[in-house]
C-alpha cells in the first residue's frame, strides 16, 4: 500500500518535472520554433512591411509569415510577451519609445534588405511652395533629433494627449522653435492640412509642427490616414504637406509611383533605422541569417 502511494507520487513528480521542463526545452529551440515562424508586423501599407517581405526573399525565409497588425497592436503584443520574458520578433524602427522602455536589439542585416542611410522627409503637394511660401519656409526649416522626438513620444506613450505633449514641447524648446520659424511671418487664419500616419514617430512630429503653425495664426487641420492614402493625398493635392515620408528606402515604391507629383522640401530627422527587432533576452538570435535555422 505504502509502495503504491509512493509510486503515484513518483509518477506525479515525473509528470510535473516534465511539465516544468517544457519551457527549458523551448529555450533550446531555434528562434523560428520559439515564435512559430511568425514576425509581428504593423499596418500593411507601411514601408517596413514591404521591406520585411523583401528580407524574407533575400534571406530565403520561406517558412516565415509576417502578421499584419498596426503600430499600436504590435507594441501591445510586445508588452505582453516582454512582461513574461517570452520570445517575440517584431518589425521595429528608430526613433521609437519602445527602445527606451524595453531592452531590445536589432537583428543584423548583412544583406541590407532594410537599406542603409534613411531620413524622414517633409513633402508638400505640387504648387504649395508657390502658393504658400511662408508655410513652406517653416516646413523646410523643421529639423530635430531623435532625443527631441523621444521627449514627445514618451509623453504620448505615458498617456498624455498628443496635442498637449506637443504644446509642452513647444513651450520648453523656444530656441529651437525660433530656428524653425526664422523669417516665417504670422498669418490670420491661413489654412494648412497636414496628412500623417498613426506611427508613434509621426504622431509626435505632426502634432509639434501643427502646434507651431497654430501659434503663427494658421488654421491647422491634421488628417490621419494610412500610408498609401497619405502619399495619394499629397500627390492629388487633397492634403498640403506631410512629415511622414521615410526616404530613400522605406517609401521608395510610393515616391516612385508619385514621381513629379510632390515636392520634397526638407529632411527633419537623419539616421533613422529599421529592421527586425527582438528582446535582448533572446540570446539565440542575433542576425536575420539566424532565422533560417
Ligand atoms: N515606419 C515608421 C514607417 C515609416 C515611419 C517605419 C513604421 C513605415 O514603415 O512606412
Amino acid at each position: 500500500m505504502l509502495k503504491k502511494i509512493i509510486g503515484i507520487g513518483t509518477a506525479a513528480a515525473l509528470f510535473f518535472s516534465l511539465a516544468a521542463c517544457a519551457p527549458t526545452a523551448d529555450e533550446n529551440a531555434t528562434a523560428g520554433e520559439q515564435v512559430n515562424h511568425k514576425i509581428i508586423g504593423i499596418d500593411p501599407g507601411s514601408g517596413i512591411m514591404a521591406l520585411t517581405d523583401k528580407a524574407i526573399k533575400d534571406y530565403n525565409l520561406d517558412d516565415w509569415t509576417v502578421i499584419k497588425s498596426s503600430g499600436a497592436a504590435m507594441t501591445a503584443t510586445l508588452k505582453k510577451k516582454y512582461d513574461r520574458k517570452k520570445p517575440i520578433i517584431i518589425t521595429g524602427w528608430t526613433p521609437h519609445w519602445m527602445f527606451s522602455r524595453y531592452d531590445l536589439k536589432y537583428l543584423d542585416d548583412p544583406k541590407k534588405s532594410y537599406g542603409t542611410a534613411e531620413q524622414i522627409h517633409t513633402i508638400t503637394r505640387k504648387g504649395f511652395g508657390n502658393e504658400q511660401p511662408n508655410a513652406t519656409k517653416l516646413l523646410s526649416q523643421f529639423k530635430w533629433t531623435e532625443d527631441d522626438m523621444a521627449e514627445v513620444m514618451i509623453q504620448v506613450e505615458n498617456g498624455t494627449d498628443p496635442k498637449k505633449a506637443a504644446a509642452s514641447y513647444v513651450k520648453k524648446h523656444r530656441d529651437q522653435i525660433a530656428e524653425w520659424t526664422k523669417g516665417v511671418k504670422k498669418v490670420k487664419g491661413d489654412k494648412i492640412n497636414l496628412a500623417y500616419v498613426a506611427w508613434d514617430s509621426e504622431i509626435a512630429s505632426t502634432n509639434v509642427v501643427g502646434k507651431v503653425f497654430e501659434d503663427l495664426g494658421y488654421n491647422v487641420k491634421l488628417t490621419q490616414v494610412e500610408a498609401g492614402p497619405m502619399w495619394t493625398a499629397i500627390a492629388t493635392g487633397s492634403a498640403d504637406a506631410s512629415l511622414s515620408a521615410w526616404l530613400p528606402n522605406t517609401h521608395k515604391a510610393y515616391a516612385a509611383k508619385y514621381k513629379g507629383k510632390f515636392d520634397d522640401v526638407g529632411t527633419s530627422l537623419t539616421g533613422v533605422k529599421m529592421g527586425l527587432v527582438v528582446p535582448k533576452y533572446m540570446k539565440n538570435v542575433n542576425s536575420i541569417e539566424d532565422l533560417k535555422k
Side-chain angles (χ1 to χ4, degrees):
M1 184 64 186
L2 184 66
K3 196 161 180 236
K4 213 172 178 185
I5 292 170
I6 290 170
I8 291 165
T10 312
L14 181 66
F15 173 78
F16 285 118
S17 77
L18 275 178
C21 260
T24 319
D26 202 27
E27 269 164 32
N28 293 325
T30 65
E33 287 162 353
Q34 286 181 324
V35 300
N36 287 322
H37 297 92
K38 285 192 176 79
I39 294 166
I40 308 300
I42 58 165
D43 41 305
S46 63
I48 202 170
M49 291 296 272
L51 293 176
T52 304
D53 285 342
K54 187 171 164 295
I56 297 240
K57 290 197 187 90
D58 293 347
Y59 291 90
N60 296 315
L61 304 175
D62 310 326
D63 46 351
W64 283 78
T65 317
V66 186
I67 308 292
K68 296 182 182 83
S69 81
S70 68
M74 178 271 285
T75 50
T77 310
L78 174 63
K79 180 185 183 336
K80 229 165 63 196
K81 298 285 181 182
Y82 193 93
D83 287 350
R84 289 180 294 141
K85 287 249 180 306
K86 294 279 186 200
I88 179 168
I89 304 184
I90 58 166
T91 57
W93 67 95
T94 324
H96 197 291
W97 56 262
M98 64 184 158
F99 289 93
S100 43
R101 170 139 320 166
Y102 310 117
D103 264 334
L104 304 172
K105 63 183 178 188
Y106 276 100
L107 299 185
D108 290 342
D109 174 19
K111 294 191 197 287
K112 308 262 176 280
S113 301
Y114 289 93
T116 46
E118 175 93 2
Q119 312 91 34
I120 306 181
H121 291 236
T122 303
I123 57 172
T124 65
R125 63 174 166 84
K126 273 278 173 208
F128 185 73
N130 287 333
E131 286 166 40
Q132 294 211 39
N134 194 55
T136 307
K137 199 172 181 62
L138 165 57
L139 289 170
S140 32
Q141 288 175 172
F142 166 57
K143 270 179 196 11
W144 60 352
T145 65
E146 215 180 297
D147 288 345
D148 296 335
M149 189 190 248
E151 258 186 69
V152 184
M153 265 195 288
I154 288 166
Q155 278 193 57
V156 175
E157 165 52 14
N158 287 337
T160 308
D161 175 75
K163 276 202 162 42
K164 284 205 181 112
S168 84
Y169 183 91
V170 168
K171 203 169 163 191
K172 222 173 111 193
H173 294 265
R174 287 289 171 206
D175 291 353
Q176 190 180 45
I177 278 83
E179 277 171 39
W180 300 346
T181 54
K182 206 170 182 176
V184 182
K185 295 183 204 75
K186 295 217 171 210
V187 299
K188 287 209 174 74
D190 293 9
K191 285 185 179 158
I192 184 160
N193 181 3
L194 301 176
Y196 73 106
V197 189
W199 299 311
D200 298 276
S201 36
E202 278 56 35
I203 290 172
S205 56
T206 310
N207 276 279
V208 166
V209 172
K211 171 68 179 153
V212 177
F213 270 120
E214 224 172 78
D215 290 350
L216 286 166
Y218 280 87
N219 178 354
V220 183
K221 189 175 160 199
L222 305 187
T223 309
Q224 192 200 305
V225 282
E226 296 284 321
M230 182 276 279
W231 276 91
T232 312
I234 299 298
T236 59
S238 69
D240 297 315
S242 178
L243 310 163
S244 310
W246 281 46
L247 294 165
N249 265 302
T250 315
H251 295 164
K252 195 182 197 161
Y254 292 124
K257 183 172 174 193
Y258 295 119
K259 196 167 181 239
K261 295 188 173 144
F262 68 94
D263 284 322
D264 187 335
V265 299
T267 301
S268 63
L269 193 59
T270 56
V272 298
K273 194 176 155 77
M274 231 160 328
L276 296 182
V277 171
V278 302
K280 278 191 185 153
Y281 56 72
M282 286 181 75
K283 300 248 190 280
N284 57 348
V285 55
N286 291 304
S287 165
I288 305 179
E289 298 272 7
D290 298 335
L291 301 184
K292 270 191 291 205
K293 288 176 202 159

